[in-house]
């Protein structure tokens, strides 16, 4: 009995030790100072990456992500192989979500290539083993060298209170709107859109430090919100009427302007990542949910799937099976989900069962089990199918797993978007059964004994 108890104690101590090591690993991340992988965070990202002339290959990961854990050994091997040639970094995007948000990271692991234009990195689309990653990095390096040979680069021309130069941050002068006493009301107050406005003084040291961050954030926010959120700047020493109007007492002061509301002070961080994350939150909070479109032709499918990272497609039962009320119920569920996930800026589509058979076949839906739902990544030609119920709860669980990189995926049949039939839009009414031709029986000679059985 004593021997068994001691054995159990040893087993328990071993399990606790393993658990402790696992927790330490999770807390410290995947990489250490002895690795050739550079650990990046909001404090060093600007200096290490954005102000660097080097090509960077950066993994955005989450410690709890199984695929990220599987990639770790290959990522370290990649960093060692490319040492002195291409910089290899990693961001714990679960801890530093402002950096993940800045670069539209929606799942883990995400690998991005920061080349000539550091403000617009490219998604790495290759294999996830060290050889494939190294090949992809060398191809990107070759492209970067060719661009430099031809005189193309991704530099910045934004300068303001610094009195010249590029600002060192990958932003563009034209993306920060210079606001004055004359144009402020027209551009900001009467636009109906969201504005973040910096009030600065040219002699202010903190304003000069903010300049490259503000410029880079302006460029990224313009692109990621499709020019729906704007960053502006007011020289408060020149336009003193505006400074007085909004009670500016120190520099820099950042104010948020939204349609029909009193301006409020921006309370977030002053790095580009913090500013971008704050702007994207404002955008999603004030944006209408994405439009839910019926797939009427090939252009609708292609544009939606090309413009968005994911396009969510529902195949609804035939109108004769549900009637207008039933169909509207399904569409209402989809619209609620589009509202819930509008920060993701996904595309939302639907079609009737049996209308787009090539689409159904390419997604493995075909013929039964309606309503059905699939989410397509057109860049990778991968899709995932809803396995649970077509309900708010079921769809939420499906999309939540997709957004954090979980869930099984498959390749779209044929490796490309399928052929789409051009159809008329649903008229919002109940369906009608086909009307068969009426037969005139007046000329038919029926025997009086027709239908009687003879014994």
């Amino acid at each position: 009995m004593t021997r068994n108890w001691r054995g159990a104690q040893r087993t328990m101590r071993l399990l606790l030790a393993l658990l402790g090591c696992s927790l330490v690993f999770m807390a410290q991340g995947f990489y250490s100072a002895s690795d050739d992988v550079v650990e990046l965070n909001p404090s060093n990202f600007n200096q290490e990456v954005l102000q660097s002339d080097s090509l960077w290959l950066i993994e955005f990961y989450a410690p709890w992500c199984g695929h990220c854990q599987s990639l770790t050994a290959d990522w370290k091997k990649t960093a060692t192989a490319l040492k002195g040639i291409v910089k290899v970094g990693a961001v714990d995007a679960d801890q530093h979500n402002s950096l993940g948000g800045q670069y539209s990271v929606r799942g883990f692991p995400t690998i991005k290539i920061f080349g000539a234009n550091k403000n617009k990195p490219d998604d790495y689309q290759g294999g996830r083993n060290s050889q494939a990653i190294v090949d992809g990095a060398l191809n990107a390096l070759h492209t970067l060298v060719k661009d430099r040979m031809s005189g193309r680069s991704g530099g910045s021309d934004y300068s303001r209170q610094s009195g010249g130069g590029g600002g060192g941050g990958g932003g563009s002068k034209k993306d920060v709107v210079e606001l004055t006493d004359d144009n402020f009301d027209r551009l900001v107050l009467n636009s109906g859109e969201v504005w973040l406005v910096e009030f600065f003084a040219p002699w202010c040291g903190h304003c000069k430090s903010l300049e490259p961050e503000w410029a880079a954030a302006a460029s990224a926010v313009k692109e990621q919100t499709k020019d729906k959120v704007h960053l502006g700047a007011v020289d408060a020493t020149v336009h003193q009427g505006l400074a007085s109007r909004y009670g500016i007492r120190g520099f820099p002061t950042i104010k948020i302007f939204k349609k029909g509301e009193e301006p409020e002070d921006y309370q977030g961080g002053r790095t580009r990542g913090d500013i971008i994350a704050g702007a994207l939150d404002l955008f999603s909070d004030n944006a209408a949910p994405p439009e839910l479109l019926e797939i009427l032709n090939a252009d609708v499918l292609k544009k939606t799937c090309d413009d968005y990272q994911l396009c969510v497609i529902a195949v609804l039962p035939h109108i004769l099976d549900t009637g207008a009320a039933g169909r509207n119920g399904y569409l209402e569920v989809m619209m609620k989900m589009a509202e819930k996930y509008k920060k993701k800026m996904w595309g939302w589509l639907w079609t009737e069962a049996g209308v787009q058979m090539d689409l159904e076949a390419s997604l493995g839906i075909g013929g039964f089990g309606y309503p059905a739902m699939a989410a397509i990544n057109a860049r990778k030609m991968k899709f995932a199918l809803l396995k649970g119920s077509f309900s708010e709860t079921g769809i939420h669980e499906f999309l939540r797993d997709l957004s954090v990189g979980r869930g099984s995926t498959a390749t779209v049949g044929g490796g490309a978007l399928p052929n789409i039939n051009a159809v008329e839009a649903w008229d919002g009414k109940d369906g009608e059964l086909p009307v068969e031709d009426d037969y005139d029986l007046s000329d038919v000679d029926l025997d009086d004994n027709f239908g009687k059985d003879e014994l």
Side-chain angles (χ1 to χ4, degrees):
M1 182 70 177
T2 302
R3 189 183 303 112
N4 290 341
W5 171 245
R6 289 175 179 171
Q9 285 183 313
R10 284 196 297 271
T11 301
M12 182 63 70
R13 284 196 295 270
L14 177 60
L15 289 174
L16 289 173
L18 290 172
L19 177 59
C21 291
S22 175
L23 290 174
V24 168
F25 178 74
M26 293 287 284
Q28 293 180 344
F30 293 169
Y31 308 104
S32 66
S34 62
D35 296 319
D36 294 315
V37 178
V38 180
E39 276 277 22
L40 298 166
N41 55 60
S43 298
N44 67 4
F45 198 89
N46 181 26
Q47 182 176 357
E48 291 281 355
V49 180
L50 300 182
Q51 296 187 28
S52 166
D53 290 328
S54 301
L55 180 79
W56 277 84
L57 200 63
I58 298 176
E59 173 203 7
F60 293 82
Y61 71 91
W64 45 259
C65 162
H67 292 301
C68 305
Q69 294 167 15
S70 300
L71 180 63
T72 303
D74 280 294
W75 199 247
K76 292 179 180 179
K77 190 175 179 180
T78 297
T80 300
L82 293 173
K83 188 174 182 179
I85 304 169
V86 173
K87 299 274 192 175
V88 178
V91 174
D92 181 345
D94 194 45
Q95 179 181 359
H96 308 298
N97 52 30
S98 63
L99 276 178
Q102 178 177 345
Y103 295 107
S104 302
V105 174
R106 306 297 187 211
F108 305 116
T110 291
I111 299 173
K112 290 188 177 280
I113 301 171
F114 289 74
N117 189 343
K118 296 295 196 295
N119 196 50
K120 294 182 180 179
D122 296 317
D123 288 330
Y124 169 76
Q125 303 285 10
R128 297 303 173 94
N129 59 75
S130 57
Q131 184 60 61
I133 298 169
V134 168
D135 289 343
L138 294 178
N139 287 336
L141 184 62
H142 179 67
T143 300
L144 176 62
V145 172
K146 284 182 65 178
D147 286 346
R148 288 178 178 174
M149 290 285 288
S150 63
R152 295 192 298 271
S153 68
S156 162
D157 63 354
Y158 176 56
S159 62
R160 193 178 61 216
Q161 56 262 37
S162 61
S172 174
K173 178 179 180 179
K174 61 181 173 54
D175 294 329
V176 176
V177 182
E178 298 291 343
L179 299 167
T180 67
D181 288 319
D182 294 330
N183 68 13
F184 191 91
D185 286 9
R186 174 172 56 85
L187 293 180
V188 179
L189 301 185
N190 299 330
S191 71
E193 295 176 339
V194 178
W195 282 78
L196 280 80
V197 178
E198 174 202 3
F199 293 82
F200 72 91
W203 45 259
C204 162
H206 291 301
C207 302
K208 292 177 182 178
S209 298
L210 178 62
E211 176 193 343
E213 306 299 307
W214 198 248
S219 298
V221 169
K222 179 178 180 179
E223 180 184 4
Q224 294 182 38
T225 68
K226 294 180 169 57
D227 209 16
K228 297 296 185 184
V229 176
H230 310 274
L231 270 65
V234 174
D235 184 342
T237 64
V238 174
H239 307 290
Q240 297 180 12
L242 283 174
S244 175
R245 180 175 172 183
Y246 294 109
I248 305 303
R249 297 287 182 263
F251 306 113
T253 292
I254 301 173
K255 295 272 187 181
I256 299 169
F257 292 82
K258 294 182 284 188
K259 182 181 179 181
E261 299 182 23
E262 288 295 313
E264 58 188 81
D265 290 332
Y266 168 78
Q267 303 287 1
R270 300 298 175 93
T271 68
R272 69 193 65 193
D274 292 330
I275 296 165
I276 292 168
L280 292 179
D281 282 342
L282 287 168
F283 172 68
S284 59
D285 290 343
N286 291 273
E291 190 176 2
L292 175 57
L293 301 174
E294 184 179 2
I295 302 175
L296 301 178
N297 52 55
D299 288 342
V300 173
L301 178 67
K302 186 176 188 309
K303 178 169 174 47
T304 303
C305 291
D306 284 350
D307 286 354
Y308 298 96
Q309 183 190 24
L310 288 180
C311 49
V312 182
I313 301 175
V315 182
L316 303 182
H318 195 281
I319 191 63
L320 291 177
D321 294 329
T322 63
R327 175 168 292 180
N328 283 325
Y330 290 130
L331 295 176
E332 183 179 354
V333 169
M334 288 194 71
M335 287 188 285
K336 287 181 179 179
M337 291 295 100
E339 169 71 33
K340 187 179 187 70
Y341 283 89
K342 67 181 181 179
K343 288 187 179 182
K344 301 293 185 182
M345 291 182 283
W346 294 338
W348 296 77
L349 301 168
W350 72 276
T351 185
E352 181 179 80
V355 171
Q356 305 294 351
M357 292 303 295
D358 288 345
L359 176 62
E360 293 188 38
S362 70
L363 301 176
I365 293 174
F368 62 92
Y370 305 112
M373 176 175 283
I376 300 177
N377 183 327
R379 293 169 182 80
K380 298 181 179 179
M381 280 301 151
K382 297 284 188 180
F383 74 95
L385 284 176
L386 170 68
K387 303 294 186 183
S389 63
F390 196 100
S391 63
E392 291 183 44
T393 300
I395 296 173
H396 168 60
E397 292 175 353
F398 169 59
L399 297 178
R400 180 193 60 198
D401 286 348
L402 284 181
S403 66
V404 296
R406 293 201 296 264
S408 60
T409 61
T411 301
V412 175
L417 293 177
N419 293 325
I420 295 296
N421 299 319
V423 296
E424 295 292 328
W426 177 46
D427 60 8
K429 300 178 182 178
D430 288 324
E432 295 182 359
L433 289 170
V435 178
E436 297 182 359
D437 294 334
D438 292 330
Y439 293 97
D440 184 1
L441 301 180
S442 60
D443 294 333
V444 178
D445 186 15
L446 297 176
D447 191 305
D448 290 341
N449 294 323
F450 178 78
K452 295 182 180 179
D453 294 328
E454 293 186 3
L455 297 178

